[in-house]
Amino acid sequence: MADRPYEAELPVVIEQPYQYRRRELVEPDWTRFPGWTDVTEADWASAQWQRVHCVKNVKQLRALMGDRLHESFYEDLESDIAHSATMSMLLPPQMLNTMVPGVEETAPGSWTDAFYADPVRRYMLPVASDRHADWPSHPFAARDSLHEHDMWAVEGLTHRYPTKVLAELLSTCPQYCGHCTRMDLVGNSTPTVDKRKLSLKPVDRQSAILEYLQTHPGVRDVVVSGGDVANLPWKQLERFLDRLLDVETIRDIRLATKALMGLPQHWLQDEVVEGMARVAKRAAGQGVNLAIHTHVNHANSVTPTVARAAAAMLDAGVRDVRNQGVLMRGVNDTQADLLDLCFALQGEANILPYYFYMCDMIPNAEHWRTSVAQAQDLQTAIMGYLPGYATPRIICDVPMVGKRWVHQLSEYDRELGISYWTKNYRTSLEADDPDALTRRYPFYDPIDTLPKAGQQWWANMHAPREVKEAGNAAAVRSRQAAARQGEAAEVG
């Protein structure tokens, strides 16, 4: 038998569902925008310049974009502002610069298609054609969908969980997100939403919050938010944090600021860095965990400036910088989108991926929201790629229940898109409710994601008796709590 050359059988290589490739962070060239061609690096690095040059209206957006967008886009935007927007327009240059970062065309209208498709634009600058035509809002959508205002112990202090509170020190941000869960309070009123207003002076509101914490030793964890703490002058924020550290029972303090991404220049200012070092040193000396929670939804938003801001806070002594993103259709609702973002955060900016919340059931948000089933699939899809400590949980914030991992539901009717959840504590609205811990609380998928039978069921405007009863009971408790709060304010 004749000899034949040895032929090795090479294994067939099957690609993984997600291929990791390290991507170094890049700061897009802001001079590609016609309105910023003369902006210097020194200007761009200035927090004051960034704030002054925020885009707040269509006229300013036109001046920035020149002729790169078709007139039809502006008409689309103006229609949304007039009829659907729950948040007013406020876009820092830093955030705008992460939209269409790779565009090179300069012809009139040449950016239009890319701008429409851009994931950051989709949630920061919504237009009418983005919204869902048949179901712009879910029938059970609510302006204060999580009942945060109803659970105010004093103005601005939501006592929802037994050991944790949310301190809303102010109602403004350096940037406004279209999907904001606090759209009932935060930002300026829009043609469709007349916002709730804080009534106390800031110093009085802060004093009331601190007095409440002094007299409630069961609270150990305070999220300091708003709005965004980056809009509070540093001296005022530091003064509040010092007084908060005087409360011996407080063991965790979390500062909530999307501006670490949207306006990182703020967190790089000497006054802020030096002040944070003072607060962090005192917190560490008292054994208090001090962290920053930011809000990044797409990998394009993670730039070298964002990484430097995170590093500055960590070097100042903050224990962790963590990310709480929001899961949104057309923004980050694929395995690749989420993993690219997590690797950019954890691997390049030292920001810990922590939570991705399902978008809340606020008005005009159905085009952003995902079903619980899709959230569960995405949670499964991202497992095993990231380090365990940096693998985020996808969370459903269920009204009257709170944060629940998407696999914690007790029952799920996928045809009608109704999931049912239970809980292990009473909110401040349920102190005298004997059934709070045994009741099942509903959450609703976007109707357009349901099978045809489910969509038809909702179109017929019916709802199961138990769903109606639960919703009505929650509304009654909400109104009663608001009335009690109003009576207490009048007595005070």
Side-chain angles (χ1 to χ4, degrees):
M1 186 167 120
D3 292 335
R4 287 186 298 179
Y6 176 73
E7 295 180 2
E9 292 188 7
L10 297 177
V12 176
V13 177
I14 301 175
E15 285 195 350
Q16 299 286 359
Y18 173 82
Q19 295 290 325
Y20 168 74
R21 295 178 180 85
R22 183 179 179 186
R23 297 176 177 87
E24 295 187 7
L25 302 183
V26 174
E27 202 77 47
D29 178 13
W30 57 84
T31 64
R32 73 187 187 282
F33 288 85
W36 291 336
T37 54
D38 298 327
V39 175
T40 66
E41 290 189 13
D43 285 338
W44 194 261
S46 165
Q48 179 64 17
W49 185 92
Q50 290 277 333
R51 290 183 186 272
V52 168
H53 290 85
C54 284
V55 172
K56 302 176 183 179
N57 53 54
V58 175
K59 180 180 179 180
Q60 292 175 345
L61 184 65
R62 286 178 185 274
L64 172 64
M65 294 293 182
D67 60 1
R68 305 292 168 81
L69 296 178
H70 287 307
E71 180 62 27
S72 58
F73 178 85
Y74 296 110
E75 294 172 355
D76 206 358
L77 176 58
E78 288 172 335
S79 176
D80 194 74
I81 292 170
H83 303 293
S84 301
T86 59
M87 300 297 292
S88 55
M89 190 191 306
L90 183 62
L91 288 161
Q94 173 73 27
M95 181 168 284
L96 262 166
N97 192 39
T98 66
M99 299 180 192
V100 291
V103 70
E104 296 180 353
E105 295 86 354
T106 59
S110 58
W111 288 17
T112 307
D113 290 344
F115 210 61
Y116 264 114
D118 188 84
V120 180
R121 194 284 309 163
R122 284 185 60 82
Y123 81 94
M124 290 302 303
L125 193 64
V127 293
S129 62
D130 292 336
R131 311 277 182 183
H132 197 279
D134 295 329
W135 297 102
S137 300
H138 194 279
F140 284 103
R143 286 170 50 145
D144 181 17
S145 66
L146 302 180
H147 303 281
E148 289 182 338
H149 172 263
D150 301 329
M151 297 180 196
W152 276 3
V154 298
E155 184 179 272
L157 186 71
T158 299
H159 194 167
R160 183 182 186 187
Y161 302 96
T163 61
K164 303 183 288 186
V165 294
L166 166 69
E168 297 162 281
L169 298 189
L170 72 171
S171 60
T172 65
C173 299
Q175 66 285 301
Y176 291 136
C177 312
H179 65 281
C180 182
T181 191
R182 287 188 199 119
M183 49 75 59
D184 192 46
L185 173 71
V186 171
N188 302 316
S189 294
T190 71
T192 57
V193 179
D194 187 20
K195 301 295 178 95
R196 189 189 306 274
K197 302 296 183 184
L198 294 170
S199 60
L200 295 176
K201 294 179 180 179
V203 64
D204 294 335
R205 183 164 52 255
Q206 293 172 23
S207 293
I209 289 171
L210 293 162
E211 288 170 9
Y212 181 86
L213 296 176
Q214 288 280 11
T215 57
H216 289 76
V219 176
R220 63 175 308 281
D221 182 354
V222 181
V223 177
V224 184
S225 183
D228 190 315
V229 296
N231 263 18
L232 201 64
W234 177 258
K235 290 182 180 179
Q236 292 184 30
L237 179 58
E238 185 172 357
R239 189 179 306 118
F240 176 81
L241 294 175
D242 271 333
R243 294 179 67 190
L244 186 57
L245 287 167
D246 289 337
V247 183
E248 294 182 358
T249 49
I250 301 304
R251 312 311 300 155
D252 280 279
I253 299 174
R254 294 177 275 171
L255 306 180
T257 173
K258 187 186 181 80
L260 190 81
M261 175 274 286
L263 190 69
Q265 292 84 354
H266 169 83
W267 295 101
L268 287 166
Q269 296 176 105
D270 291 343
E271 178 189 30
V272 175
V273 174
E274 293 165 5
M276 188 63 77
R278 291 190 295 270
V279 175
K281 182 178 180 180
R282 182 181 173 190
Q286 297 178 199
V288 175
N289 296 313
L290 177 67
I292 288 178
H293 282 197
T294 193
H295 174 183
V296 188
N297 291 327
H298 196 273
N300 288 354
S301 297
V302 187
T303 73
T305 307
V306 174
R308 285 197 298 274
M313 293 298 97
L314 292 168
D315 290 345
V318 169
R319 172 175 171 168
D320 289 299
V321 178
R322 307 179 186 123
N323 185 61
Q324 295 186 144
V326 176
L327 184 65
M328 289 183 285
R329 280 194 275 179
V331 177
N332 55 20
D333 61 335
T334 70
Q335 178 193 46
D337 287 332
L338 289 181
L339 288 173
D340 284 351
L341 171 54
C342 290
F343 281 118
L345 291 167
Q346 189 263 342
E348 308 301 327
N350 208 8
I351 298 173
L352 183 69
Y354 177 49
Y355 277 170
F356 281 101
Y357 290 97
M358 295 180 63
C359 185
D360 290 319
M361 292 178 56
I362 58 169
N364 297 333
E366 290 303 275
H367 66 292
W368 284 312
R369 294 203 309 123
T370 59
S371 67
V372 171
Q374 184 182 2
Q376 290 176 330
D377 290 343
L378 286 169
Q379 181 72 83
T380 299
I382 64 175
M383 301 300 289
Y385 288 92
L386 293 151
Y389 70 90
T391 301
R393 284 174 288 173
I394 300 179
I395 298 296
C396 184
D397 207 342
V398 184
M400 301 301 295
V401 175
K403 301 172 184 65
R404 288 292 181 268
W405 184 43
V406 289
H407 285 87
Q408 281 186 279
L409 50 76
S410 61
E411 188 179 341
Y412 192 8
D413 184 334
R414 294 197 179 203
E415 182 171 295
L416 300 184
I418 307 174
S419 50
Y420 297 91
W421 308 75
T422 59
K423 62 181 179 180
N424 57 341
Y425 61 89
R426 290 179 174 84
T427 68
S428 55
L429 299 181
E430 302 162 314
D432 56 355
D433 183 351
D435 301 319
L437 303 187
T438 56
R439 183 181 295 112
R440 298 187 314 161
Y441 297 82
F443 186 82
Y444 306 96
D445 288 346
I447 293 171
D448 70 287
T449 67
L450 305 181
K452 289 183 178 180
Q455 293 188 41
Q456 186 60 52
W457 185 89
W458 281 102
N460 292 336
M461 296 305 291
H462 294 300
R465 180 182 302 172
E466 60 188 281
V467 174
K468 280 189 175 181
E469 290 177 350
N472 290 338
V476 168
R477 290 192 297 273
S478 172
R479 289 192 293 270
Q480 290 172 342
R484 288 195 298 270
Q485 184 185 62
E487 292 169 0
E490 289 178 4
V491 172

